[in-house]
Amino acid sequence: ELGLVLYGSAEAGRLMCLLCPLIPFMYLDSIVDAMLKGLDEQVYSLKVNLSDSCMRVALIAVCVPKFGMAGYLFATFFSVLYNSSLSIGRLMKKSRLRFSLLRWVILPLICISLCCLGTRSLASLAGLSDASPLLLLCAAGGCAVLLYPVLLRCTGCLSREDLHWLRASLHSEKL
């Protein structure tokens, strides 16, 4: 629906679906790079980003002529995962942070999957299947925005302390 709404193209939507899994890694990499710089690890970040850029150019030069768009997608996926995994690993080592695969990855993925399935089912039950892509997108997005935090809270991924911190942060930002 997003490809149809934004670009009038189902093909653009399919490409966005392929690239969607990279978004959390790209966001995380950006945040982690900033944190590493705050921990005086900017030289490490520079080395990782430079090696990533060189590797991405080489992968694109080799893969795109042979495999076209699939080669570009491979190069992009490999590059983003390489960069973010090295940066996240360094941050965890420097901060002595313990990683919880279950609470930070598996349960949130299950929650978002349930959200997507739930919103699709609700749209179908409400008879929105034949509605305009924009209406369907807005309805699904609205339901997901409401349902996802509830599921995170039910699974323990979003603690009471997290909610208190969020409330305090929002109140301190008011003008």
Side-chain angles (χ1 to χ4, degrees):
E1 291 87 12
L2 194 56
L4 290 172
V5 169
L6 294 177
Y7 304 106
S9 165
E11 181 64 25
R14 282 189 284 281
L15 282 173
M16 285 192 296
C17 285
L18 284 173
L19 293 170
C20 247
L22 289 181
I23 293 170
F25 292 101
M26 295 169 108
Y27 173 75
L28 224 88
D29 183 49
S30 174
I31 299 302
V32 168
D33 273 356
M35 290 177 175
L36 284 171
K37 289 172 187 166
L39 293 171
D40 201 27
E41 290 289 320
Q42 59 270 21
V43 173
Y44 178 82
S45 289
L46 176 67
K47 288 177 185 177
V48 168
N49 289 328
L50 187 60
S51 68
D52 172 45
S53 295
C54 292
M55 181 185 60
R56 187 181 299 209
V57 168
L59 281 172
I60 288 172
V62 170
C63 295
V64 171
K66 289 184 180 181
F67 304 107
M69 185 56 107
Y72 176 76
L73 291 173
F74 170 77
T76 301
F77 266 82
F78 190 82
S79 170
V80 167
L81 294 176
Y82 165 81
N83 192 323
S84 60
S85 63
L86 287 177
S87 297
I88 292 167
R90 183 66 164 221
L91 178 65
M92 290 177 62
K93 181 180 175 184
K94 283 294 185 179
S95 66
R96 296 186 191 108
L97 181 67
R98 289 194 342 237
F99 179 71
S100 171
L101 183 65
L102 181 66
R103 285 192 63 218
W104 293 2
V105 178
I106 294 171
L107 288 175
L109 282 174
I110 290 170
C111 289
I112 198 64
S113 297
L114 288 173
C115 249
C116 292
L117 290 172
T119 55
R120 290 275 182 193
S121 300
L122 285 173
S124 183
L125 287 173
L128 294 175
S129 300
D130 297 328
S132 76
L134 180 60
L135 178 62
L136 191 57
L137 189 63
C138 289
C143 287
V145 163
L146 296 173
L147 186 58
Y148 187 60
V150 171
L151 291 174
L152 287 176
R153 183 73 180 109
C154 290
T155 58
C157 294
L158 191 61
S159 69
R160 183 167 287 166
E161 293 81 21
D162 295 332
L163 292 173
H164 288 304
W165 173 85
L166 181 60
R167 272 191 212 110
S169 297
L170 291 174
H171 289 302
S172 68
E173 293 294 321
K174 287 186 177 180
L175 296 175

